[in-house]
Amino acid sequence: MQTIKQLITAAAGYSSSIGGRTLLVQGCDQGSTLNITLTDTIGNRNTVYNVGAGAKLTPATGFASVDIQTSVDANVVFVVTNGDIDVQLSQVGSTIANTNANPVPVAIVSEPGAPFQVTAGADLPVKNGANPFHVTVDGSVNVTGATLTATSVSINNTSASPVPVLLHASDDATAIPVSGTVNIGNAVGSPVPVSLVSSSDATAIPVTLTGSTDSTAIPVQAQPVATTPSDVAAVAVTVGGVTLLAASAGRKAFRVRNAGNGQLAITAASGTTFANAAVVLQPGDMWTENEAPAAAWYAISDAGTTANLQVLS
């Protein structure tokens, strides 16, 4: 085995009648700039181009001479041996000239062989406590079977493509109460639907609107609701009319529901005809009277029906 250290110039190159079985380039301070030709005893030539440190040449018939050319002056160290060469090189540098359009596929693994967790622009730790190196990833990053922790991440979603968010309590996944001021931007022509019911029987509460009816907020005041409703009574209403309720000073309000198939008219005067009635209930409709509930009230139908009546006193 011979080790040759030589300054090889671009002008002169290097030629020698060194023979052997294997040639190994151990070092070249100018990278992959060497063109090496090995010629055997009968004139067969084997040539490799643009090689550097780590290049190993073993022609089938061996070689009797060595010719090395370089594009720039280079300090070269190479080994010639009559057998094979298995040398562990710890300080051999390589330059990979692939461009972004033709990248070299690289796998980054940890000590046991498991992949690192990779995030866009993340710093990945290097084995043996070396400084971390920066990795930039274009496109999607898929993480499987690992926990991904991100710090100082910018989310660039716009209002047209918002990030979906689920708010829930940490203990039982129930909704989180919202405190403070919540702005609802419905316009006057598209109001927010609101249903007001009493706490006792879930029936609708009559309301009085105060204030302006423009886009400003309107306070809603609930009218007093009677506390002791009576049982529902069914009253047969004919086309000739019937007395629905006699006058009673203690009555606070009453409700009437048209439970039949004909139309039901509610009147405040005896003898009012169906055609002249101001309040007409279609089948299934209900009417609540709390302005003058204590007066006498009458009912008449166009074809006969049933009035379900509930008095609140």
Side-chain angles (χ1 to χ4, degrees):
M1 177 183 293
Q2 299 181 65
T3 300
I4 295 92
K5 299 181 181 180
Q6 182 73 35
L7 171 62
I8 301 177
T9 65
Y14 173 87
S15 295
S16 175
S17 299
I18 299 174
R21 180 77 175 86
T22 300
L23 182 146
L24 173 70
V25 179
Q26 189 172 2
C28 177
D29 62 359
Q30 296 300 322
S32 300
T33 60
L34 306 180
N35 299 331
I36 304 176
T37 300
L38 303 179
T39 306
D40 64 13
T41 57
I42 60 176
N44 295 318
R45 296 164 59 88
N46 296 279
T47 303
V48 294
Y49 299 94
N50 300 321
V51 297
K56 178 181 175 182
L57 288 71
T58 307
T61 58
F63 56 91
S65 65
V66 176
D67 180 81
I68 302 176
Q69 302 297 322
T70 178
S71 57
V72 294
D73 296 352
N75 291 295
V76 180
V77 179
F78 61 94
V79 178
V80 174
T81 179
N82 289 323
D84 198 0
I85 300 177
D86 186 5
V87 179
Q88 300 295 325
L89 301 177
S90 61
Q91 297 183 6
V92 175
S94 299
T95 301
I96 301 175
N98 291 61
T99 64
N100 292 336
N102 184 28
V104 177
V106 177
I108 302 174
V109 297
S110 60
E111 173 71 10
F116 277 112
Q117 300 176 41
V118 181
T119 59
D123 289 334
L124 299 182
V126 180
K127 179 184 173 184
N128 297 331
N131 293 329
F133 57 91
H134 198 72
V135 174
T136 299
V137 178
D138 293 329
S140 300
V141 176
N142 297 321
V143 179
T144 303
T147 300
L148 179 62
T149 302
T151 304
S152 300
V153 176
S154 298
I155 300 176
N156 298 322
N157 291 61
T158 64
S159 57
S161 178
V163 177
V165 176
L166 176 64
L167 298 180
H168 60 81
S170 59
D171 54 349
D172 58 1
T174 56
I176 296 179
V178 177
S179 61
T181 301
V182 177
N183 295 321
I184 300 176
N186 291 58
V188 176
S190 179
V192 177
V194 177
S195 176
L196 298 180
V197 296
S198 65
S199 59
S200 60
D201 58 1
T203 56
I205 299 177
V207 297
T208 299
L209 300 181
T210 63
S212 172
T213 56
D214 56 15
S215 59
T216 59
I218 301 177
V220 177
Q221 297 178 348
Q223 296 294 330
V225 177
T227 57
T228 58
S230 66
D231 294 335
V232 175
V235 178
V237 180
T238 65
V239 296
V242 297
T243 300
L244 189 64
L245 286 170
S248 175
R251 191 162 50 234
K252 303 298 183 184
F254 68 86
R255 302 187 184 99
V256 180
R257 179 177 178 271
N258 186 353
N261 296 324
Q263 298 184 81
L264 173 64
I266 308 299
T267 70
S270 177
T272 302
T273 64
F274 181 84
N276 293 328
V279 178
V280 177
L281 304 182
Q282 300 296 324
D285 287 352
M286 186 179 73
W287 179 57
T288 300
E289 173 56 42
N290 55 11
E291 296 294 333
W297 288 89
Y298 306 89
I300 190 170
S301 176
D302 63 337
T305 188
T306 300
N308 285 350
L309 181 66
Q310 185 180 43
V311 177
L312 307 176
S313 58

